[in-house]
Amino acid sequence: MKTLELTEEEIQVTIQLIDIAIKSGGLNVAEAGSILAKKLGSYLQQASPEQPKEFADEPTDFEVVEDKD
């Protein structure tokens, strides 16, 4: 087994690249990509239990304006 040191930003970018590869390669790469992304993502959750930056915050209230013709 080899050890690789990455910053949190590098991990996030790697997860994004894996996501792009899965979308591009489809089912051929989905399983391997999913496994790697989950491993990297679980490390980020352990390192900082805050909500990941790639997820949106709670929805905000919007004012509904009806169009008056």
Short mmCIF file of all heavy atoms in Angstrom, two decimals:
data_model
loop_
_atom_site.label_atom_id
_atom_site.label_comp_id
_atom_site.label_asym_id
_atom_site.label_seq_id
_atom_site.Cartn_x
_atom_site.Cartn_y
_atom_site.Cartn_z
N MET A 1 0.85 -1.18 0.00
CA MET A 1 0.00 0.00 0.00
C MET A 1 0.89 1.24 0.00
O MET A 1 1.90 1.28 0.67
CB MET A 1 -0.91 0.00 1.23
CG MET A 1 -1.84 1.17 1.26
SD MET A 1 -2.91 1.31 2.70
CE MET A 1 -3.81 -0.21 2.63
N LYS A 2 0.51 2.23 -0.73
CA LYS A 2 1.24 3.49 -0.82
C LYS A 2 0.47 4.58 -0.09
O LYS A 2 -0.76 4.54 0.00
CB LYS A 2 1.42 3.93 -2.28
CG LYS A 2 2.16 2.92 -3.13
CD LYS A 2 3.62 2.96 -2.83
CE LYS A 2 4.33 1.98 -3.75
NZ LYS A 2 5.74 1.95 -3.55
N THR A 3 1.19 5.56 0.41
CA THR A 3 0.58 6.70 1.09
C THR A 3 0.70 7.92 0.20
O THR A 3 1.76 8.18 -0.36
CB THR A 3 1.28 6.96 2.44
OG1 THR A 3 1.18 5.80 3.24
CG2 THR A 3 0.63 8.13 3.16
N LEU A 4 -0.38 8.66 0.10
CA LEU A 4 -0.43 9.86 -0.72
C LEU A 4 -0.98 10.99 0.15
O LEU A 4 -2.04 10.84 0.75
CB LEU A 4 -1.34 9.64 -1.94
CG LEU A 4 -1.58 10.81 -2.87
CD1 LEU A 4 -0.27 11.20 -3.56
CD2 LEU A 4 -2.62 10.45 -3.90
N GLU A 5 -0.25 12.09 0.22
CA GLU A 5 -0.71 13.22 1.01
C GLU A 5 -1.33 14.27 0.10
O GLU A 5 -0.71 14.70 -0.87
CB GLU A 5 0.45 13.82 1.79
CG GLU A 5 0.99 12.88 2.85
CD GLU A 5 2.07 13.53 3.71
OE1 GLU A 5 2.09 14.78 3.80
OE2 GLU A 5 2.88 12.79 4.26
N LEU A 6 -2.57 14.65 0.42
CA LEU A 6 -3.29 15.66 -0.36
C LEU A 6 -3.90 16.67 0.59
O LEU A 6 -4.32 16.34 1.70
CB LEU A 6 -4.42 15.01 -1.17
CG LEU A 6 -4.03 13.98 -2.22
CD1 LEU A 6 -5.28 13.31 -2.77
CD2 LEU A 6 -3.26 14.63 -3.35
N THR A 7 -3.99 17.92 0.14
CA THR A 7 -4.71 18.93 0.91
C THR A 7 -6.21 18.71 0.71
O THR A 7 -6.63 17.97 -0.20
CB THR A 7 -4.34 20.35 0.45
OG1 THR A 7 -4.79 20.53 -0.90
CG2 THR A 7 -2.85 20.60 0.55
N GLU A 8 -7.02 19.36 1.52
CA GLU A 8 -8.47 19.23 1.36
C GLU A 8 -8.92 19.75 0.00
O GLU A 8 -9.80 19.18 -0.63
CB GLU A 8 -9.20 19.96 2.49
CG GLU A 8 -9.07 19.23 3.82
CD GLU A 8 -9.92 19.85 4.91
OE1 GLU A 8 -10.92 20.55 4.60
OE2 GLU A 8 -9.59 19.62 6.09
N GLU A 9 -8.29 20.83 -0.46
CA GLU A 9 -8.64 21.37 -1.78
C GLU A 9 -8.30 20.37 -2.88
O GLU A 9 -9.07 20.20 -3.83
CB GLU A 9 -7.92 22.70 -2.04
CG GLU A 9 -8.40 23.84 -1.15
CD GLU A 9 -7.69 23.86 0.20
OE1 GLU A 9 -6.61 23.25 0.34
OE2 GLU A 9 -8.22 24.49 1.12
N GLU A 10 -7.15 19.72 -2.76
CA GLU A 10 -6.76 18.72 -3.76
C GLU A 10 -7.72 17.54 -3.76
O GLU A 10 -8.04 16.99 -4.83
CB GLU A 10 -5.33 18.24 -3.50
CG GLU A 10 -4.28 19.30 -3.76
CD GLU A 10 -2.89 18.91 -3.29
OE1 GLU A 10 -2.76 18.15 -2.31
OE2 GLU A 10 -1.92 19.38 -3.91
N ILE A 11 -8.19 17.15 -2.60
CA ILE A 11 -9.16 16.06 -2.51
C ILE A 11 -10.46 16.47 -3.19
O ILE A 11 -11.04 15.71 -3.96
CB ILE A 11 -9.42 15.65 -1.05
CG1 ILE A 11 -8.15 15.00 -0.47
CG2 ILE A 11 -10.60 14.69 -0.95
CD1 ILE A 11 -8.24 14.73 1.02
N GLN A 12 -10.92 17.69 -2.94
CA GLN A 12 -12.16 18.17 -3.55
C GLN A 12 -12.04 18.22 -5.08
O GLN A 12 -12.96 17.83 -5.79
CB GLN A 12 -12.54 19.54 -3.00
CG GLN A 12 -12.99 19.48 -1.55
CD GLN A 12 -13.20 20.86 -0.95
OE1 GLN A 12 -12.76 21.87 -1.50
NE2 GLN A 12 -13.87 20.90 0.19
N VAL A 13 -10.91 18.69 -5.57
CA VAL A 13 -10.69 18.75 -7.02
C VAL A 13 -10.64 17.35 -7.60
O VAL A 13 -11.20 17.08 -8.68
CB VAL A 13 -9.39 19.54 -7.34
CG1 VAL A 13 -9.00 19.38 -8.80
CG2 VAL A 13 -9.57 21.00 -7.00
N THR A 14 -10.00 16.42 -6.90
CA THR A 14 -9.93 15.03 -7.37
C THR A 14 -11.32 14.42 -7.46
O THR A 14 -11.65 13.73 -8.43
CB THR A 14 -9.02 14.19 -6.45
OG1 THR A 14 -7.74 14.81 -6.39
CG2 THR A 14 -8.90 12.78 -6.94
N ILE A 15 -12.15 14.68 -6.47
CA ILE A 15 -13.53 14.18 -6.49
C ILE A 15 -14.28 14.78 -7.69
O ILE A 15 -15.03 14.08 -8.37
CB ILE A 15 -14.25 14.49 -5.16
CG1 ILE A 15 -13.65 13.64 -4.03
CG2 ILE A 15 -15.75 14.23 -5.28
CD1 ILE A 15 -14.15 14.00 -2.65
N GLN A 16 -14.07 16.06 -7.97
CA GLN A 16 -14.72 16.69 -9.12
C GLN A 16 -14.25 16.06 -10.43
O GLN A 16 -15.04 15.83 -11.34
CB GLN A 16 -14.45 18.19 -9.13
CG GLN A 16 -15.15 18.92 -8.01
CD GLN A 16 -14.75 20.39 -7.92
OE1 GLN A 16 -13.77 20.82 -8.54
NE2 GLN A 16 -15.49 21.16 -7.15
N LEU A 17 -12.96 15.77 -10.52
CA LEU A 17 -12.43 15.12 -11.73
C LEU A 17 -12.99 13.71 -11.90
O LEU A 17 -13.31 13.29 -13.01
CB LEU A 17 -10.90 15.07 -11.68
CG LEU A 17 -10.20 16.42 -11.82
CD1 LEU A 17 -8.70 16.26 -11.55
CD2 LEU A 17 -10.44 16.99 -13.20
N ILE A 18 -13.14 12.99 -10.80
CA ILE A 18 -13.75 11.66 -10.85
C ILE A 18 -15.18 11.77 -11.33
O ILE A 18 -15.64 10.97 -12.17
CB ILE A 18 -13.66 10.95 -9.48
CG1 ILE A 18 -12.20 10.61 -9.15
CG2 ILE A 18 -14.53 9.70 -9.46
CD1 ILE A 18 -11.98 10.16 -7.72
N ASP A 19 -15.91 12.77 -10.84
CA ASP A 19 -17.29 12.99 -11.26
C ASP A 19 -17.38 13.25 -12.76
O ASP A 19 -18.22 12.69 -13.46
CB ASP A 19 -17.89 14.15 -10.47
CG ASP A 19 -19.34 14.41 -10.79
OD1 ASP A 19 -20.14 13.44 -10.76
OD2 ASP A 19 -19.70 15.56 -11.08
N ILE A 20 -16.46 14.08 -13.27
CA ILE A 20 -16.43 14.37 -14.71
C ILE A 20 -16.14 13.10 -15.50
O ILE A 20 -16.76 12.83 -16.54
CB ILE A 20 -15.40 15.47 -15.02
CG1 ILE A 20 -15.86 16.79 -14.42
CG2 ILE A 20 -15.16 15.60 -16.51
CD1 ILE A 20 -14.80 17.88 -14.41
N ALA A 21 -15.18 12.30 -15.00
CA ALA A 21 -14.83 11.06 -15.69
C ALA A 21 -16.00 10.09 -15.73
O ALA A 21 -16.24 9.43 -16.74
CB ALA A 21 -13.63 10.40 -15.01
N ILE A 22 -16.76 10.01 -14.63
CA ILE A 22 -17.92 9.12 -14.59
C ILE A 22 -18.97 9.60 -15.59
O ILE A 22 -19.54 8.80 -16.34
CB ILE A 22 -18.50 9.04 -13.17
CG1 ILE A 22 -17.54 8.27 -12.26
CG2 ILE A 22 -19.88 8.38 -13.17
CD1 ILE A 22 -17.93 8.31 -10.79
N LYS A 23 -19.22 10.89 -15.63
CA LYS A 23 -20.21 11.43 -16.57
C LYS A 23 -19.78 11.21 -18.02
O LYS A 23 -20.61 10.95 -18.88
CB LYS A 23 -20.44 12.92 -16.30
CG LYS A 23 -21.18 13.15 -14.99
CD LYS A 23 -21.31 14.62 -14.69
CE LYS A 23 -22.03 14.82 -13.37
NZ LYS A 23 -22.04 16.23 -12.94
N SER A 24 -18.50 11.29 -18.26
CA SER A 24 -17.98 11.11 -19.61
C SER A 24 -17.90 9.64 -20.01
O SER A 24 -18.24 9.28 -21.12
CB SER A 24 -16.59 11.75 -19.71
OG SER A 24 -16.03 11.49 -20.96
N GLY A 25 -17.43 8.80 -19.08
CA GLY A 25 -17.21 7.38 -19.39
C GLY A 25 -18.39 6.49 -19.13
O GLY A 25 -18.38 5.33 -19.54
N GLY A 26 -19.40 7.00 -18.45
CA GLY A 26 -20.60 6.22 -18.19
C GLY A 26 -20.36 5.03 -17.29
O GLY A 26 -19.54 5.06 -16.37
N LEU A 27 -21.09 3.96 -17.56
CA LEU A 27 -21.04 2.77 -16.72
C LEU A 27 -19.68 2.09 -16.71
O LEU A 27 -19.35 1.38 -15.77
CB LEU A 27 -22.12 1.77 -17.16
CG LEU A 27 -23.55 2.22 -16.94
CD1 LEU A 27 -24.52 1.17 -17.49
CD2 LEU A 27 -23.83 2.46 -15.47
N ASN A 28 -18.88 2.32 -17.76
CA ASN A 28 -17.56 1.69 -17.82
C ASN A 28 -16.66 2.11 -16.67
O ASN A 28 -15.81 1.34 -16.24
CB ASN A 28 -16.87 2.03 -19.15
CG ASN A 28 -17.60 1.46 -20.33
OD1 ASN A 28 -18.25 0.43 -20.24
ND2 ASN A 28 -17.52 2.15 -21.45
N VAL A 29 -16.82 3.32 -16.17
CA VAL A 29 -15.96 3.82 -15.09
C VAL A 29 -16.72 4.14 -13.81
O VAL A 29 -16.13 4.53 -12.82
CB VAL A 29 -15.17 5.07 -15.54
CG1 VAL A 29 -14.24 4.75 -16.68
CG2 VAL A 29 -16.12 6.19 -15.92
N ALA A 30 -18.02 3.96 -13.83
CA ALA A 30 -18.84 4.38 -12.71
C ALA A 30 -18.49 3.68 -11.40
O ALA A 30 -18.37 4.33 -10.36
CB ALA A 30 -20.32 4.18 -13.02
N GLU A 31 -18.31 2.38 -11.42
CA GLU A 31 -18.06 1.65 -10.18
C GLU A 31 -16.72 2.05 -9.56
O GLU A 31 -16.64 2.39 -8.38
CB GLU A 31 -18.10 0.14 -10.40
CG GLU A 31 -17.94 -0.63 -9.10
CD GLU A 31 -18.08 -2.13 -9.28
OE1 GLU A 31 -18.22 -2.61 -10.43
OE2 GLU A 31 -18.05 -2.83 -8.27
N ALA A 32 -15.67 2.04 -10.35
CA ALA A 32 -14.35 2.40 -9.83
C ALA A 32 -14.33 3.85 -9.35
O ALA A 32 -13.80 4.16 -8.28
CB ALA A 32 -13.29 2.19 -10.91
N GLY A 33 -14.93 4.72 -10.13
CA GLY A 33 -14.97 6.13 -9.74
C GLY A 33 -15.76 6.36 -8.48
O GLY A 33 -15.38 7.16 -7.62
N SER A 34 -16.86 5.66 -8.35
CA SER A 34 -17.70 5.79 -7.17
C SER A 34 -16.96 5.34 -5.91
O SER A 34 -17.03 6.00 -4.88
CB SER A 34 -18.97 4.96 -7.35
OG SER A 34 -19.75 4.99 -6.18
N ILE A 35 -16.23 4.26 -6.01
CA ILE A 35 -15.48 3.75 -4.85
C ILE A 35 -14.42 4.77 -4.42
O ILE A 35 -14.30 5.09 -3.24
CB ILE A 35 -14.84 2.38 -5.19
CG1 ILE A 35 -15.93 1.32 -5.32
CG2 ILE A 35 -13.81 1.98 -4.12
CD1 ILE A 35 -15.44 0.00 -5.91
N LEU A 36 -13.67 5.28 -5.38
CA LEU A 36 -12.63 6.27 -5.06
C LEU A 36 -13.23 7.55 -4.49
O LEU A 36 -12.72 8.11 -3.51
CB LEU A 36 -11.80 6.59 -6.30
CG LEU A 36 -10.85 5.50 -6.77
CD1 LEU A 36 -10.25 5.88 -8.12
CD2 LEU A 36 -9.75 5.28 -5.75
N ALA A 37 -14.30 8.03 -5.09
CA ALA A 37 -14.92 9.26 -4.62
C ALA A 37 -15.47 9.10 -3.20
O ALA A 37 -15.35 10.01 -2.38
CB ALA A 37 -16.04 9.69 -5.58
N LYS A 38 -16.04 7.94 -2.89
CA LYS A 38 -16.55 7.70 -1.54
C LYS A 38 -15.42 7.66 -0.52
O LYS A 38 -15.55 8.20 0.58
CB LYS A 38 -17.34 6.39 -1.49
CG LYS A 38 -18.71 6.51 -2.12
CD LYS A 38 -19.45 5.19 -2.08
CE LYS A 38 -20.76 5.27 -2.81
NZ LYS A 38 -21.48 4.00 -2.83
N LYS A 39 -14.30 7.03 -0.88
CA LYS A 39 -13.15 6.98 0.04
C LYS A 39 -12.63 8.39 0.32
O LYS A 39 -12.37 8.75 1.46
CB LYS A 39 -12.03 6.12 -0.54
CG LYS A 39 -12.27 4.65 -0.44
CD LYS A 39 -11.07 3.87 -0.94
CE LYS A 39 -11.30 2.37 -0.80
NZ LYS A 39 -10.10 1.61 -1.22
N LEU A 40 -12.47 9.17 -0.74
CA LEU A 40 -11.97 10.53 -0.56
C LEU A 40 -12.99 11.40 0.19
O LEU A 40 -12.63 12.18 1.06
CB LEU A 40 -11.65 11.15 -1.91
CG LEU A 40 -10.47 10.53 -2.65
CD1 LEU A 40 -10.43 11.04 -4.09
CD2 LEU A 40 -9.17 10.82 -1.95
N GLY A 41 -14.25 11.25 -0.15
CA GLY A 41 -15.30 12.02 0.52
C GLY A 41 -15.43 11.70 1.98
O GLY A 41 -15.65 12.58 2.81
N SER A 42 -15.26 10.43 2.35
CA SER A 42 -15.36 10.04 3.76
C SER A 42 -14.21 10.66 4.56
O SER A 42 -14.39 11.05 5.71
CB SER A 42 -15.38 8.53 3.92
OG SER A 42 -14.13 7.97 3.58
N TYR A 43 -13.04 10.78 3.95
CA TYR A 43 -11.94 11.44 4.64
C TYR A 43 -12.27 12.90 4.91
O TYR A 43 -12.01 13.42 5.99
CB TYR A 43 -10.63 11.35 3.84
CG TYR A 43 -9.55 12.17 4.49
CD1 TYR A 43 -8.86 11.67 5.59
CD2 TYR A 43 -9.25 13.45 4.05
CE1 TYR A 43 -7.90 12.43 6.23
CE2 TYR A 43 -8.29 14.22 4.69
CZ TYR A 43 -7.62 13.71 5.77
OH TYR A 43 -6.68 14.47 6.40
N LEU A 44 -12.85 13.58 3.92
CA LEU A 44 -13.21 14.99 4.11
C LEU A 44 -14.23 15.15 5.23
O LEU A 44 -14.15 16.10 6.01
CB LEU A 44 -13.77 15.58 2.82
CG LEU A 44 -12.76 15.90 1.72
CD1 LEU A 44 -13.48 16.44 0.50
CD2 LEU A 44 -11.72 16.89 2.20
N GLN A 45 -15.18 14.22 5.33
CA GLN A 45 -16.19 14.30 6.39
C GLN A 45 -15.55 14.08 7.76
O GLN A 45 -15.95 14.70 8.73
CB GLN A 45 -17.31 13.30 6.14
CG GLN A 45 -18.19 13.68 4.99
CD GLN A 45 -19.29 12.66 4.74
OE1 GLN A 45 -19.25 11.56 5.26
NE2 GLN A 45 -20.25 13.03 3.92
N GLN A 46 -14.57 13.19 7.85
CA GLN A 46 -13.88 12.95 9.12
C GLN A 46 -13.02 14.15 9.49
O GLN A 46 -12.95 14.53 10.65
CB GLN A 46 -12.99 11.71 9.02
CG GLN A 46 -13.75 10.42 8.89
CD GLN A 46 -12.82 9.24 8.61
OE1 GLN A 46 -11.61 9.40 8.54
NE2 GLN A 46 -13.41 8.07 8.43
N ALA A 47 -12.36 14.73 8.51
CA ALA A 47 -11.45 15.85 8.76
C ALA A 47 -12.21 17.10 9.19
O ALA A 47 -11.77 17.81 10.08
CB ALA A 47 -10.63 16.13 7.51
N SER A 48 -13.33 17.37 8.56
CA SER A 48 -14.14 18.53 8.93
C SER A 48 -15.61 18.13 8.88
O SER A 48 -16.18 18.02 7.81
CB SER A 48 -13.87 19.70 7.98
OG SER A 48 -14.18 19.35 6.67
N PRO A 49 -16.22 17.92 10.04
CA PRO A 49 -17.60 17.45 10.07
C PRO A 49 -18.63 18.47 9.61
O PRO A 49 -19.81 18.21 9.64
CB PRO A 49 -17.82 17.09 11.55
CG PRO A 49 -16.80 17.85 12.30
CD PRO A 49 -15.65 18.07 11.36
N GLU A 50 -18.16 19.63 9.16
CA GLU A 50 -19.09 20.63 8.63
C GLU A 50 -19.68 20.14 7.32
O GLU A 50 -19.19 19.20 6.72
CB GLU A 50 -18.36 21.95 8.38
CG GLU A 50 -17.74 22.54 9.62
CD GLU A 50 -16.89 23.76 9.29
OE1 GLU A 50 -16.86 24.17 8.11
OE2 GLU A 50 -16.25 24.28 10.21
N GLN A 51 -20.71 20.83 6.86
CA GLN A 51 -21.34 20.49 5.60
C GLN A 51 -20.38 20.74 4.46
O GLN A 51 -19.76 21.81 4.39
CB GLN A 51 -22.61 21.33 5.41
CG GLN A 51 -23.41 20.96 4.20
CD GLN A 51 -24.68 21.78 4.10
OE1 GLN A 51 -24.85 22.76 4.80
NE2 GLN A 51 -25.56 21.38 3.23
N PRO A 52 -20.18 19.79 3.53
CA PRO A 52 -19.27 19.99 2.40
C PRO A 52 -19.66 21.22 1.58
O PRO A 52 -20.84 21.54 1.45
CB PRO A 52 -19.42 18.72 1.58
CG PRO A 52 -20.01 17.72 2.50
CD PRO A 52 -20.81 18.49 3.51
N LYS A 53 -18.65 21.89 1.01
CA LYS A 53 -18.89 23.11 0.25
C LYS A 53 -19.66 22.87 -1.03
O LYS A 53 -20.34 23.75 -1.52
CB LYS A 53 -17.57 23.79 -0.07
CG LYS A 53 -16.86 24.30 1.15
CD LYS A 53 -15.55 24.94 0.79
CE LYS A 53 -14.81 25.39 2.04
NZ LYS A 53 -13.50 25.93 1.73
N GLU A 54 -19.59 21.65 -1.59
CA GLU A 54 -20.26 21.42 -2.86
C GLU A 54 -21.77 21.27 -2.71
O GLU A 54 -22.49 21.25 -3.69
CB GLU A 54 -19.69 20.23 -3.61
CG GLU A 54 -19.64 18.95 -2.86
CD GLU A 54 -18.26 18.69 -2.23
OE1 GLU A 54 -17.33 19.45 -2.47
OE2 GLU A 54 -18.16 17.76 -1.47
N PHE A 55 -22.25 21.19 -1.45
CA PHE A 55 -23.68 21.09 -1.23
C PHE A 55 -24.21 22.47 -0.85
O PHE A 55 -23.58 23.22 -0.12
CB PHE A 55 -24.01 20.10 -0.12
CG PHE A 55 -23.63 18.69 -0.47
CD1 PHE A 55 -22.67 18.02 0.25
CD2 PHE A 55 -24.23 18.03 -1.53
CE1 PHE A 55 -22.30 16.73 -0.07
CE2 PHE A 55 -23.87 16.74 -1.86
CZ PHE A 55 -22.90 16.09 -1.13
N ALA A 56 -25.38 22.78 -1.32
CA ALA A 56 -25.97 24.09 -1.04
C ALA A 56 -26.42 24.17 0.40
O ALA A 56 -26.68 23.18 1.06
CB ALA A 56 -27.17 24.31 -1.97
N ASP A 57 -26.49 25.39 0.90
CA ASP A 57 -27.03 25.62 2.23
C ASP A 57 -28.53 25.40 2.20
O ASP A 57 -29.11 25.09 1.17
CB ASP A 57 -26.73 27.05 2.67
CG ASP A 57 -25.24 27.27 2.87
OD1 ASP A 57 -24.54 26.31 3.21
OD2 ASP A 57 -24.79 28.42 2.67
N GLU A 58 -29.15 25.57 3.35
CA GLU A 58 -30.59 25.41 3.43
C GLU A 58 -31.26 26.36 2.44
O GLU A 58 -30.77 27.47 2.21
CB GLU A 58 -31.07 25.75 4.85
CG GLU A 58 -30.65 24.73 5.89
CD GLU A 58 -31.30 23.38 5.66
OE1 GLU A 58 -32.50 23.33 5.36
OE2 GLU A 58 -30.59 22.37 5.79
N PRO A 59 -32.37 25.93 1.83
CA PRO A 59 -33.04 26.81 0.87
C PRO A 59 -33.51 28.10 1.54
O PRO A 59 -33.89 28.10 2.71
CB PRO A 59 -34.24 25.98 0.39
CG PRO A 59 -34.29 24.78 1.24
CD PRO A 59 -33.03 24.68 2.02
N THR A 60 -33.44 29.17 0.80
CA THR A 60 -33.90 30.45 1.33
C THR A 60 -35.34 30.69 0.91
O THR A 60 -35.85 30.06 -0.01
CB THR A 60 -33.02 31.60 0.78
OG1 THR A 60 -33.08 31.56 -0.64
CG2 THR A 60 -31.58 31.45 1.24
N ASP A 61 -35.98 31.60 1.61
CA ASP A 61 -37.37 31.93 1.27
C ASP A 61 -37.36 32.90 0.09
O ASP A 61 -36.59 33.85 0.06
CB ASP A 61 -38.09 32.58 2.46
CG ASP A 61 -38.28 31.60 3.60
OD1 ASP A 61 -38.38 30.40 3.33
OD2 ASP A 61 -38.33 32.05 4.76
N PHE A 62 -38.19 32.63 -0.85
CA PHE A 62 -38.31 33.50 -2.02
C PHE A 62 -39.69 34.13 -2.04
O PHE A 62 -40.68 33.51 -1.65
CB PHE A 62 -38.11 32.70 -3.32
CG PHE A 62 -36.71 32.21 -3.50
CD1 PHE A 62 -36.38 30.91 -3.18
CD2 PHE A 62 -35.73 33.05 -3.99
CE1 PHE A 62 -35.08 30.45 -3.35
CE2 PHE A 62 -34.43 32.61 -4.16
CZ PHE A 62 -34.11 31.30 -3.84
N GLU A 63 -39.74 35.32 -2.49
CA GLU A 63 -41.02 36.00 -2.63
C GLU A 63 -41.63 35.63 -3.97
O GLU A 63 -40.97 35.72 -5.00
CB GLU A 63 -40.81 37.52 -2.56
CG GLU A 63 -42.10 38.31 -2.69
CD GLU A 63 -41.85 39.80 -2.64
OE1 GLU A 63 -40.71 40.21 -2.37
OE2 GLU A 63 -42.80 40.54 -2.90
N VAL A 64 -42.85 35.18 -3.95
CA VAL A 64 -43.53 34.80 -5.17
C VAL A 64 -44.28 36.02 -5.69
O VAL A 64 -45.09 36.61 -5.00
CB VAL A 64 -44.53 33.63 -4.94
CG1 VAL A 64 -45.29 33.32 -6.20
CG2 VAL A 64 -43.80 32.43 -4.39
N VAL A 65 -43.98 36.42 -6.91
CA VAL A 65 -44.63 37.57 -7.52
C VAL A 65 -45.44 37.06 -8.70
O VAL A 65 -44.90 36.44 -9.61
CB VAL A 65 -43.57 38.60 -8.00
CG1 VAL A 65 -44.25 39.78 -8.66
CG2 VAL A 65 -42.71 39.05 -6.83
N GLU A 66 -46.72 37.33 -8.66
CA GLU A 66 -47.58 36.88 -9.74
C GLU A 66 -47.56 37.91 -10.87
O GLU A 66 -47.53 39.11 -10.64
CB GLU A 66 -49.01 36.70 -9.23
CG GLU A 66 -49.13 35.56 -8.23
CD GLU A 66 -50.56 35.35 -7.78
OE1 GLU A 66 -51.49 35.79 -8.48
OE2 GLU A 66 -50.73 34.77 -6.71
N ASP A 67 -47.52 37.41 -12.08
CA ASP A 67 -47.50 38.28 -13.24
C ASP A 67 -48.92 38.76 -13.50
O ASP A 67 -49.85 37.97 -13.69
CB ASP A 67 -46.98 37.48 -14.44
CG ASP A 67 -46.73 38.37 -15.65
OD1 ASP A 67 -46.59 39.58 -15.45
OD2 ASP A 67 -46.65 37.83 -16.77
N LYS A 68 -49.08 40.07 -13.50
CA LYS A 68 -50.41 40.66 -13.72
C LYS A 68 -50.48 41.16 -15.15
O LYS A 68 -49.80 42.10 -15.53
CB LYS A 68 -50.69 41.80 -12.75
CG LYS A 68 -50.73 41.33 -11.32
CD LYS A 68 -50.97 42.48 -10.38
CE LYS A 68 -50.94 41.98 -8.93
NZ LYS A 68 -51.12 43.07 -8.00
N ASP A 69 -51.29 40.51 -15.95
CA ASP A 69 -51.44 40.91 -17.36
C ASP A 69 -52.50 41.94 -17.53
O ASP A 69 -53.48 42.05 -16.98
CB ASP A 69 -51.76 39.70 -18.24
CG ASP A 69 -50.55 38.79 -18.34
OD1 ASP A 69 -49.41 39.30 -18.26
OD2 ASP A 69 -50.76 37.58 -18.50
#
